């Protein structure tokens, strides 16, 4: 029953219609490209030219509507080139089944690996492979396939042309969107009910990856962008300090609301490229709070917001690079290796059997080939379909099969239901006797509807997509109206096959959680002792090492949180050592430990009076405990809770340290260091209790 309820819940997610749309200007450009391709076919009086150019413009237009990370023109050129090259390759292997299937497997594997860069690039890779299937399956011969590929290339070229039309928008639009989302998340977290909201690293990772894709020659011009990323990291740390050390009431709440308004204005300035100035009374409120506060957090927050606001204002200037170099110091980004080298390293890092992306790529290659063979074996559905062509089954399997169970099931339900409804609509449209102009108008309208509903969910998208492709290709080919049902049946078969392949060859997120948790604990095993060592003397901690460990910690924690979220949709709780409630508890406790690390780093000694050398006695016990906890998370051993807390109690009793000294006294900094260390130990102990409560005593080694 639990499995069935999860299946129904995931199916409902696939049928949900969202109110999410691409930018109107981007939709208008995509529709214009399809319109130009259709008009070209009418002027030439060549239905094949109009249809294939329309297909090229349509597929490439969908690629443009997906979230871009590079310049829109660069994205358009890359998508056009990939789709056109694949169409040519499909034409060349037309009629040679074994060579086509081999090439299809290689292309699908590469597409699966490309998923490393992100969801949108992975889908663009799938769209490019569709070009290979179209010409290899539909072309009558090699010469006819090359003609089709040529017109497809013309259609993709039209997409590139319309991308050159104004309006152009602000420079570095993708990077601006990522940074704006980052500052908006900080604004929301600053007024959230608790400090857990500050623990999410996804906005930081997205902004870092967007900036990472800028070519080396563009980075000096985009200096304020890199500066904003660095300032966002500092603001997050200060906000964490404020939320955990300052009572959230009265004037402090007002000041945090003022900080949220400043961060929101920064977000709007960066996103639009036009300055959104914060009212002076907001700054006055922050400055009065800064002056009245006896602790470091509020003073640091006001000091950090000013440089970020100045950098946001500089980002609206045409002279983007006119900024102090000190603001561009984002470790490993502003200077260093090129984006191409970094991308290649990220993909190479997945080339091992334990990687879920690698296993997804292999599964995708096998699944698409099997789907193509099954599609060809089905034949023409008793004369209703296109005999001996299986590309529709194969492309459905490729677009449904995702690395995660929940996404695969949801997309399978959504695409199948949308295809059936789209087939019904296409059958109705096939009843009238359309003139060439009428065919052109309806095809453009259907394409426009597909573009508008692209981000609303699989149901609406595939309704219009199926109607468009059936109406266009089947009318051009002179096939009977009932062929609409063949396309719907192919989609249902492809979606069901994708789900079946995942169930036979799964990559359960539930199984990955112990390994990811163990990996995160191994990072903390290096980070927390390094921070505690810094309390022995001023400058005892290596800032570069701490920054590197923090970045790695955030990256692993993001993968861990995503795996926990994905595991909730899986009927595989018995495959993991913890229940769903325990996984949610682990996710929260991991965020608390990360917050403690942030506070320890923010309050490192700045002068001899701030040092607490006694805390270094915790370094070795903490290292041993975290090492053992990492092994326990992976299922190699068990760890008894309470041992680390006993060491801390013994240390404080022996040395006379206390966390209950009044603020402002000579030992206030000592008490703060002890309090932070105590909070860290308590957070680690709480996580230890949850990890030790595994409901499967057998070892679950990290996959």
């Amino acid at each position: 029953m639990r499995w069935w309820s999860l299946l129904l819940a995931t199916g409902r997610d696939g049928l949900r219609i969202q109110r999410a749309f691409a930018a109107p200007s981007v939709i208008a450009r995509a529709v214009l490209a399809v319109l130009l391709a259709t008009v070209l076919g009418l002027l030439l009086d060549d239905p094949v030219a109009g249809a294939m150019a329309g297909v090229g413009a349509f597929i490439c237009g969908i690629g443009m509507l997906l979230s871009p990370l590079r310049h829109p023109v660069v994205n358009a050129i890359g998508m056009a080139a990939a789709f056109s090259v694949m169409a040519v390759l499909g034409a060349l292997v037309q009629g040679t089944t074994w060579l086509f299937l081999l090439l299809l497997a290689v292309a699908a594997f590469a597409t699966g690996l490309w998923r490393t860069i992100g969801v949108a690039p992975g889908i663009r890779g799938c769209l490019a492979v569709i070009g290979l299937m179209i010409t290899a399956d539909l072309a009558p011969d090699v010469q006819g396939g090359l003609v089709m590929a040529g017109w497809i290339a013309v259609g993709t070229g039209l997409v590139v042309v319309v991308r050159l039309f104004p309006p152009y928008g602000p420079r570095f639009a993708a990077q601006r969107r990522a940074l704006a989302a980052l500052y908006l998340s900080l604004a929301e977290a600053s007024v959230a009910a608790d400090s857990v909201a500050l623990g999410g690293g996804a906005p930081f990772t997205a902004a870092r990856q967007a900036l990472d894709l800028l070519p080396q020659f563009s980075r000096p011009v985009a200096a304020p962008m890199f500066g904003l990323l660095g300032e966002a990291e500092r603001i997050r740390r200060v906000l964490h300090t404020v939320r955990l050390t300052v009572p959230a009431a009265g004037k402090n709440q007002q000041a945090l609301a003022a900080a949220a308004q400043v961060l929101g204005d920064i977000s709007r300035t960066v996103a639009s490229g036009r300055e959104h100035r914060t009212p002076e009374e907001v700054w006055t409120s922050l400055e009065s709070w800064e002056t009245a506060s006896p602790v470091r957090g509020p003073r640091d927050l006001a000091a950090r917001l000013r440089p970020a606001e100045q950098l946001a204002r500089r980002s609206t200037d045409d002279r983007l690079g006119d900024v102090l170099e000190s603001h561009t110091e984002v470790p490993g980004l502003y200077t260093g290796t090129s984006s191409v080298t970094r991308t290649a390293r990220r993909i190479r890092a997945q080339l091992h059997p334990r990687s879920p992306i690698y296993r997804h790529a292999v599964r995708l290659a096998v699944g698409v080939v099997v789907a193509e063979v099954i599609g060809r074996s089905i034949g023409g559905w008793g004369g209703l379909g296109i005999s001996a062509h299986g590309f529709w089954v194969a492309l459905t399997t490729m677009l449904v099969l995702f690395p995660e169970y929940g996404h695969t099931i949801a997309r399978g339900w959504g695409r199948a239901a949308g295809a059936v409804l789209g087939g019904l609509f296409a059958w109705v449209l096939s009843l009238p006797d359309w003139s060439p102009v009428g065919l052109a108008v309806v095809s453009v309208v259907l394409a426009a509807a597909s573009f508008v509903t692209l981000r609303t969910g699989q149901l609406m998208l595939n309704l219009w997509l199926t109607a468009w492709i059936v109406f266009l290709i089947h009318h051009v080919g002179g096939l009977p109206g009932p062929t609409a049902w063949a396309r719907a049946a192919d989609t249902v078969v492809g979606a069901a096959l994708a789900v079946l392949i995942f169930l036979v060859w799964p990559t359960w997120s539930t199984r990955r959680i112990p390994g990811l948790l163990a990996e995160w604990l191994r990072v903390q095993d290096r980070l927390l002792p390094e921070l505690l060592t810094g309390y022995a003397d001023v400058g005892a901690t290596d800032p570069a090492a701490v920054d590197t460990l923090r970045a790695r910690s955030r990256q692993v924690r993001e993968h861990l949180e995503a795996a926990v979220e994905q595991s909730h949709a899986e009927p595989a709780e018995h495959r993991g050592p913890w229940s769903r409630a325990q996984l949610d508890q682990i996710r929260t406790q991991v965020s608390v430990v990360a917050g403690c690390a942030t506070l320890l780093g923010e309050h490192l000694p700045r002068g001899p009076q701030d040092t607490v050398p006694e805390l270094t006695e915790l370094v070795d016990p903490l290292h041993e405990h975290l090492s053992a906890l990492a092994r326990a998370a992976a299922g190699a051993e068990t760890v008894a809770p309470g041992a680390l807390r006993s060491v801390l109690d013994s240390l404080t009793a022996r040395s006379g340290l206390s966390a209950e000294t009044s603020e402002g006294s000579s030992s206030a900094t000592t008490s703060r260091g002890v309090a932070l260390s105590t909070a860290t130990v308590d957070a680690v102990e709480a996580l230890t209790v949850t990890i030790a409560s595994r409901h499967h005593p057998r070892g679950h080694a990290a996959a």
Side-chain angles (χ1 to χ4, degrees):
M1 290 300 295
R2 176 68 177 172
W3 180 87
W4 180 248
S5 64
L6 283 174
L7 181 63
L8 291 179
T10 308
R12 285 194 297 269
D13 290 339
L15 300 177
R16 183 177 293 117
I17 300 174
Q18 306 171 10
R19 297 186 63 182
F21 305 98
S25 62
V26 181
I27 295 176
R29 293 174 195 270
V31 174
L32 178 59
V34 174
L35 176 61
L36 292 176
T38 305
V39 171
L40 179 64
L42 288 175
L43 294 177
L44 297 176
D45 194 21
D46 187 342
V48 174
M52 291 298 101
V55 168
F58 181 80
I59 299 296
C60 198
I62 288 180
M64 294 305 96
L65 290 172
L66 300 172
S67 299
L69 292 178
R70 290 190 179 272
H71 192 281
V73 176
V74 175
N75 278 335
I77 293 174
M79 185 69 204
F83 192 71
S84 301
V85 168
M86 283 295 177
V88 172
L89 290 177
L92 293 176
V93 299
Q94 195 280 334
T96 311
T97 302
W98 68 268
L99 184 57
F100 164 61
L101 294 178
L102 178 61
L103 187 59
L104 180 62
V106 173
F109 177 78
T111 297
L113 283 183
W114 196 245
R115 179 69 167 70
T116 305
I117 311 302
V119 177
I123 295 178
R124 288 195 190 96
C126 292
L127 295 177
V129 177
I130 290 175
L132 174 69
M133 300 181 191
I134 290 175
T135 51
D137 264 355
L138 296 182
D141 49 41
V142 174
Q143 185 62 33
L146 291 176
V147 171
M148 292 171 59
W151 286 117
I152 285 175
V154 170
T156 62
L158 291 174
V159 174
V160 177
V161 171
V162 299
R163 285 301 328 179
L164 300 175
F165 295 166
Y168 301 113
R171 195 173 183 184
F172 306 118
Q175 287 68 31
R176 287 181 181 277
R177 281 193 301 271
L179 285 169
L182 170 57
Y183 274 87
L184 184 60
S185 71
L186 289 175
E188 294 171 348
S190 63
V191 293
D194 53 49
S195 60
V196 176
L198 287 166
F204 285 91
T205 301
R208 181 176 288 269
Q209 290 179 350
L211 289 171
D212 192 22
L213 287 172
L214 285 178
Q216 205 70 23
F217 65 83
S218 294
R219 298 187 179 191
V221 185
M225 305 286 182
F226 290 89
L228 283 165
L229 177 58
E231 292 298 335
E233 176 64 35
R234 299 180 183 98
I235 290 170
R236 184 190 70 87
R237 296 173 189 169
V238 176
L239 278 173
H240 213 120
T241 301
V242 171
R243 294 304 304 270
L244 294 182
T245 60
V246 179
K251 190 173 182 179
N252 293 327
Q253 281 285 54
Q254 297 175 4
L256 287 173
Q261 183 171 347
V262 173
L263 291 166
D265 289 336
I266 291 173
S267 174
R268 286 186 285 273
T269 297
V270 173
S272 64
R274 296 185 300 272
E275 183 177 355
H276 290 260
R277 189 176 293 274
T278 303
E280 281 302 321
E281 55 266 24
V282 176
W283 286 109
T284 302
S285 173
L286 279 172
E287 289 167 357
S288 62
W289 183 50
E290 172 187 1
T291 304
S293 177
V295 295
R296 183 190 301 174
R299 298 196 298 269
D300 288 347
L301 178 59
R304 289 268 63 91
L305 289 174
R306 281 291 187 185
E309 192 258 351
Q310 293 169 3
L311 284 168
R313 207 164 50 235
R314 285 179 178 269
S315 72
T316 65
D317 196 337
D318 291 336
R319 302 185 305 275
L320 287 176
D322 185 17
V323 66
L324 294 177
E325 287 293 316
S326 60
H327 289 302
T328 65
E329 294 175 359
V330 182
L333 271 183
Y334 186 70
T335 58
T337 55
S338 66
S339 59
V340 175
T341 304
R342 289 178 182 276
T343 301
R345 287 177 179 176
R346 288 175 61 187
I347 294 177
R348 282 202 305 270
Q350 303 297 331
L351 292 176
H352 58 86
R354 293 176 298 171
S355 165
I357 293 295
Y358 176 83
R359 285 182 285 173
H360 166 68
V362 175
R363 181 176 58 198
L364 189 65
V366 174
V368 171
V369 171
V370 170
E372 176 69 25
V373 172
I374 290 176
R376 293 191 175 200
S377 301
I378 289 174
W381 292 101
L384 298 181
I386 307 175
S387 180
H389 298 292
F391 77 97
W392 200 260
V393 177
L395 72 87
T396 301
T397 299
M398 181 174 59
L399 292 173
V400 168
L401 195 55
F402 261 50
E404 304 88 16
Y405 169 83
H407 286 159
T408 299
I409 299 296
R411 292 174 70 86
W413 280 84
R415 291 192 76 89
V420 171
L421 295 176
L424 174 62
F425 187 45
W427 175 72
V428 171
L429 290 176
S430 68
L431 297 179
D433 186 15
W434 296 96
S435 66
V437 175
L439 285 173
V441 171
V442 175
S443 65
V444 172
V445 170
L446 292 176
S450 300
F451 291 143
V452 171
T453 59
L454 178 67
R455 297 185 180 181
T456 61
Q458 292 295 308
L459 175 63
M460 290 300 296
L461 169 62
N462 280 277
L463 189 158
W464 298 107
L465 177 62
T466 302
W468 175 80
I469 196 70
V470 169
F471 185 82
L472 178 68
I473 295 181
H474 289 188
H475 273 290
V476 170
L479 299 175
T483 52
W485 299 111
R487 295 285 71 77
D490 285 344
T491 300
V492 173
V493 171
L497 183 60
V499 173
L500 178 62
I501 290 172
F502 188 99
L503 294 176
V504 172
W505 192 351
T507 50
W508 299 116
S509 297
T510 305
R511 289 181 173 179
R512 297 177 54 220
I513 292 173
L516 289 171
L517 179 57
E519 184 178 357
W520 182 82
L521 286 167
R522 284 192 289 269
V523 177
Q524 302 310 302
D525 179 26
R526 298 169 58 194
L527 175 60
L528 290 175
E530 178 74 20
L531 292 172
L532 283 177
T533 302
Y535 282 81
D537 198 2
V538 178
T541 296
D542 181 6
V546 170
D547 282 340
T548 301
L549 290 171
R550 278 174 169 163
R552 180 58 182 162
S553 173
R554 182 188 298 125
Q555 184 183 42
V556 178
R557 182 156 56 95
E558 184 181 343
H559 292 322
L560 174 63
E561 291 175 350
V564 171
E565 187 68 29
Q566 293 158 7
S567 69
H568 290 345
E570 297 177 352
E573 183 175 352
H574 63 284
R575 300 177 184 273
W578 301 287
S579 67
R580 285 177 171 80
Q582 289 172 327
L583 289 178
D584 288 334
Q585 193 173 6
I586 286 175
R587 179 167 55 178
T588 301
Q589 291 167 344
V590 162
S591 180
V592 173
V593 173
C596 291
T598 296
L599 291 175
L600 284 172
E602 283 301 301
H603 291 89
L604 285 172
R606 299 185 181 181
Q609 72 279 3
D610 297 334
T611 60
V612 192
E614 294 86 351
L615 293 180
T616 56
E617 294 185 32
L618 273 176
V619 170
D620 288 339
L622 184 61
H623 164 68
E624 293 172 1
H625 186 87
L626 289 171
S627 297
L629 194 58
R631 294 191 294 272
E637 63 179 66
T638 59
V639 175
L644 188 60
R645 178 69 201 209
S646 298
V647 172
L648 177 63
D649 292 341
S650 175
L651 168 63
T652 54
R654 185 175 65 256
S655 59
L657 295 176
S658 174
E660 299 180 355
T661 306
S662 59
E663 192 69 50
S665 66
S666 59
S667 57
T669 55
T670 299
S671 66
R672 183 171 60 237
V674 175
L676 293 176
S677 301
T678 302
T680 302
V681 169
D682 288 343
V684 172
E685 285 287 9
L687 181 59
T688 303
V689 171
T690 308
I691 291 176
S693 64
R694 320 166 56 100
H695 60 69
H696 281 190
R698 297 187 303 274
H700 288 263

